[in-house]
């Protein structure tokens, strides 16, 4: 990979707004930041890109299919039944096509990397493919084709609930046990060919992984990310309390070595003490505000968590909508609706937009094991150029740029994106969009037939 020098009118650097500056990229990293000078490319506004820290790629094909009442009261659990029907038919080729479409959409929204919480491992009857990581290889192929940075998180999924019941129906495609999980990780590692790709591990949840297996999960891949769903739904909290004698987050903080390697996904059902305890560990809270709103999960206690020094990142989870600005806007607006207040997550002199953007950028970089999230020498060149002539940004400077994007605009203000120095979005579009979209349409048409 050669060198690129970008001249920027305004940039959000590690120590604040600056400009004009030049940013030199070499070997996928930011090699130097200097005063105004000659450059290969021009940008109006340059900010660090966010990583999307939680995705289930195949669910993009399900978006909008679960918006009918199936009984007197719909919930996350009734939504899950549609997912299982979907799993009865989806093929590896379709997964690759769906993931590629999803990753193009993420890149065009301003995400430079994704954490793929990958639990779709096996054939429809639960038997393994000839290559244990056949589905993971499809995810990696889609990431390679689109240029998005990938943290692949193969999921350990052992049981159907805390009572140890076996996996049934669509869940059979998820099934992994400790003795087979190591082979899955080994084959997954062979699928990752890019230097900036990361392999982590993901015990699915306290419901799906028995406590004896949870205690050993960190030993599979030392010093790499560990992600786990936790405390998403009230029913989940009730089940864990009955089985473990403690609420999920409280049990995890007491019994697991939670530290900066960990990312706890959702955590929408926490007490104040749990919220402060999670913040103190240095772990990242993986928030998915659009999905959490769509599924009726609940509202994360963001103000208390930030006040306690906690880090968070955002992900698109079920992928019903891909919108970087919308995720951050939904996060802040949910706090306002709950507290009947404004600017709930603002930090001191920084605006709300800058507070949530910087926290999410750095939190996702930590959770994905990716040295990015900031424009600084030595960091991975995960960057977003915004269109300064876009109406929501017109006449704005400093933090108001981010406020305009997040609260008054949308991701159409994204003009260029670099992922580890790869120039993957130019003038607002991914160069492979048409080809990728055609394959996605073919996959989607087949999946919708008779569903």
């Amino acid at each position: 990979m050669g060198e690129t020098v970008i001249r920027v009118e305004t940039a959000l650097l590690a120590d604040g707004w600056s400009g004009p500056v030049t940013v030199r990229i070499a070997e996928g990293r930011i090699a130097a930041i200097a005063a105004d000078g000659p450059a290969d490319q021009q940008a109006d506004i340059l900010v660090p890109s966010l990583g999307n820290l939680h995705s289930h790629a195949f669910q993009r094909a399900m978006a909008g299919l679960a918006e009918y009442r199936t009984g007197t009261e719909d919930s996350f659990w009734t939504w899950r039944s549609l997912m299982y029907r979907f799993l009865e038919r989806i093929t590896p080729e379709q997964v690759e096509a769906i993931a590629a479409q999803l990753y193009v959409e993420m890149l065009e929204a301003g995400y430079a990397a994704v954490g793929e919480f990958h639990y779709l491992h096996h054939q429809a009857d639960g038997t393994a493919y000839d290559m244990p990581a056949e589905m993971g290889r499809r995810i990696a192929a889609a990431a390679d084709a689109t240029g998005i940075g990938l943290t692949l998180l193969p999921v350990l999924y052992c049981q159907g609930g805390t009572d140890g019941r076996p996996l049934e129906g669509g869940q059979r495609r998820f099934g992994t046990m400790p003795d087979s999980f190591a082979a899955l990780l080994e084959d997954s590692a062979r699928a990752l060919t890019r230097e900036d790709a990361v392999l982590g591990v993901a015990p699915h949840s306290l419901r799906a992984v028995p406590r004896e297996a949870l205690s050993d999960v960190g030993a599979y891949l030392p010093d790499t990310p560990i992600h786990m769903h936790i405390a998403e739904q009230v029913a989940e909290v009730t089940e864990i309390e009955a089985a473990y004698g403690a609420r999920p987050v409280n049990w995890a903080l007491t019994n697991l070595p939670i530290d900066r390697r960990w990312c706890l996904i959702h955590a929408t059902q926490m007490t104040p003490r749990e919220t402060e305890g999670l913040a103190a560990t240095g772990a990242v809270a993986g928030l998915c505000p659009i999905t959490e709103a769509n599924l009726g999960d609940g509202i994360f206690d963001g103000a208390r968590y930030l006040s306690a020094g906690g880090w968070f990142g955002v992900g698109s989870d079920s992928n019903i909508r891909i919108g970087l600005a919308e995720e951050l806007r939904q996060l802040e607006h949910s706090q306002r609706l709950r507290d009947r207040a404004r600017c709930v997550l603002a930090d001191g002199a920084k605006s709300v937009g800058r507070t949530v953007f910087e926290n999410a950028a750095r939190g996702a970089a930590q959770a994905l094991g990716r040295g990015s999230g900031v424009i600084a020498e030595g960091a991975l060149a995960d960057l977003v150029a915004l269109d300064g002539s876009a109406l929501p940004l017109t006449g704005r400077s400093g933090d108001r740029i981010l406020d305009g994007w997040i609260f008054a605009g949308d991701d159409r203000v994204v003009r260029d994106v670099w992922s580890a120095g790869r120039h993957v979005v130019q003038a607002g579009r991914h160069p492979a969009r048409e080809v990728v979209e055609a394959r996605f349409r073919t996959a989607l048409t087949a999946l919708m037939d008779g569903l």
Side-chain angles (χ1 to χ4, degrees):
M1 186 182 299
E3 288 194 0
T4 299
V5 179
I6 310 169
R7 182 188 181 277
V8 185
E9 288 294 335
T10 302
L12 180 58
L13 305 181
D15 57 355
W17 294 98
S18 183
V21 298
T22 58
V23 177
R24 180 164 64 88
I25 300 172
E27 301 300 323
R29 295 188 175 274
I30 298 171
I33 301 170
D36 197 7
D40 308 310
Q41 301 177 30
Q42 305 287 325
D44 297 333
I45 302 161
L46 195 70
V47 297
S49 174
L50 269 62
N52 183 321
L53 58 62
H54 190 66
S55 165
H56 307 302
F58 75 92
Q59 293 178 16
R60 181 59 177 151
M62 292 171 46
L65 293 178
E67 304 306 320
Y68 289 85
R69 277 196 181 276
T70 59
T72 56
E73 185 175 348
D74 271 9
S75 68
F76 166 83
W77 310 100
T78 54
W79 170 88
R80 207 169 62 153
S81 66
L82 171 68
M83 180 182 71
Y84 292 152
R85 294 208 309 274
F86 221 74
L87 290 170
E88 294 173 357
R89 57 200 309 170
I90 197 166
T91 68
E93 294 79 11
Q94 290 167 340
V95 166
E96 184 174 342
I98 295 164
Q101 173 67 23
L102 172 66
Y103 296 160
V104 164
E105 293 176 358
M106 286 182 183
L107 289 165
E108 290 184 349
Y111 293 111
V114 61
E116 190 60 44
F117 196 98
H118 176 62
Y119 52 70
L120 182 53
H121 300 310
H122 308 311
Q123 300 180 60
D125 63 358
T127 60
Y129 290 100
D130 291 339
M131 291 187 293
E134 170 68 24
M135 286 295 200
R137 289 173 179 273
R138 300 295 182 151
I139 295 295
D144 288 347
T146 59
I148 199 167
L150 176 64
T151 295
L152 182 62
L153 298 153
V155 170
L156 179 64
Y157 201 118
C158 307
Q159 60 191 21
T162 55
D163 58 0
R165 61 186 179 271
L167 302 177
E168 297 179 347
Q171 286 183 327
R172 291 179 296 180
R173 302 194 76 168
F174 310 160
T176 46
M177 298 298 286
D179 57 352
S180 62
F181 191 57
L184 177 66
L185 288 175
E186 184 177 343
D187 197 32
S188 298
R190 288 191 286 267
L192 302 180
T193 58
R194 284 207 312 250
E195 186 176 343
D196 63 303
V198 176
L199 181 64
V201 295
H204 180 271
S205 60
L206 298 183
R207 289 182 291 108
V209 182
R211 65 187 81 188
E212 58 270 20
L214 277 170
S215 63
D216 297 330
V217 74
Y220 284 106
L221 294 171
D223 304 320
T224 60
I226 303 171
H227 289 216
M228 183 171 69
H229 290 133
I230 201 155
E232 179 180 4
Q233 288 277 326
V234 172
E236 175 189 5
V237 174
T238 301
E239 180 178 350
I240 299 303
E241 277 191 300
Y244 286 17
R247 295 171 57 86
V249 173
N250 184 38
W251 188 91
L253 293 176
T254 303
N255 294 278
L256 298 176
I258 307 294
D259 59 16
R260 290 175 57 86
R261 292 180 63 188
W262 287 73
C263 179
L264 299 186
I265 307 298
H266 301 306
T268 51
Q269 308 296 330
M270 291 197 294
T271 66
R273 185 173 180 180
E274 288 172 326
T275 301
E276 293 164 355
L278 178 57
T281 66
V284 174
L287 311 180
C288 307
I290 295 174
T291 290
E292 288 154 7
N294 182 264
L295 296 180
D297 288 345
I299 299 173
F300 181 77
D301 191 354
R304 188 185 310 274
Y305 185 73
L306 290 185
S307 294
W311 289 98
F312 69 82
V314 296
S316 51
D317 193 4
S318 69
N319 296 308
I320 190 168
R321 287 274 300 160
I322 307 303
L324 189 159
E326 189 174 344
E327 294 285 2
L328 298 176
R329 179 169 62 248
Q330 177 72 32
L331 172 61
E332 167 64 20
H333 281 177
S334 68
Q335 310 295 305
R336 296 183 186 191
L337 287 167
R338 181 196 58 212
D339 297 345
R340 301 177 186 178
R342 297 196 73 255
C343 303
V344 176
L345 298 180
D347 179 17
K350 295 180 182 179
S351 73
V352 179
R354 182 172 171 191
T355 300
V356 296
F357 186 87
E358 286 189 325
N359 196 302
R362 298 184 188 192
Q366 177 180 313
L368 298 181
R370 193 170 176 84
S372 58
V374 63
I375 301 179
E377 292 183 7
L380 272 180
D382 287 359
L383 305 168
V384 175
L386 305 179
D387 182 0
S389 68
L391 284 175
L393 307 188
T394 299
R396 296 176 184 249
S397 61
D399 291 3
R400 287 178 172 173
I401 293 171
L402 294 175
D403 294 336
W405 178 17
I406 294 168
F407 294 105
D410 55 36
D411 294 334
R412 287 176 292 180
V413 306
V414 173
R415 182 165 180 79
D416 292 87
V417 178
W418 292 263
S419 174
R422 297 179 293 271
H423 197 176
V424 287
V425 173
Q426 302 177 33
R429 290 186 69 81
H430 191 285
R433 169 173 267 281
E434 286 74 18
V435 173
V436 168
E437 187 174 295
R439 292 173 181 162
F440 176 65
R441 286 181 184 275
T442 299
L444 199 58
T445 298
L447 287 166
M448 293 300 106
D449 185 25
L451 186 68

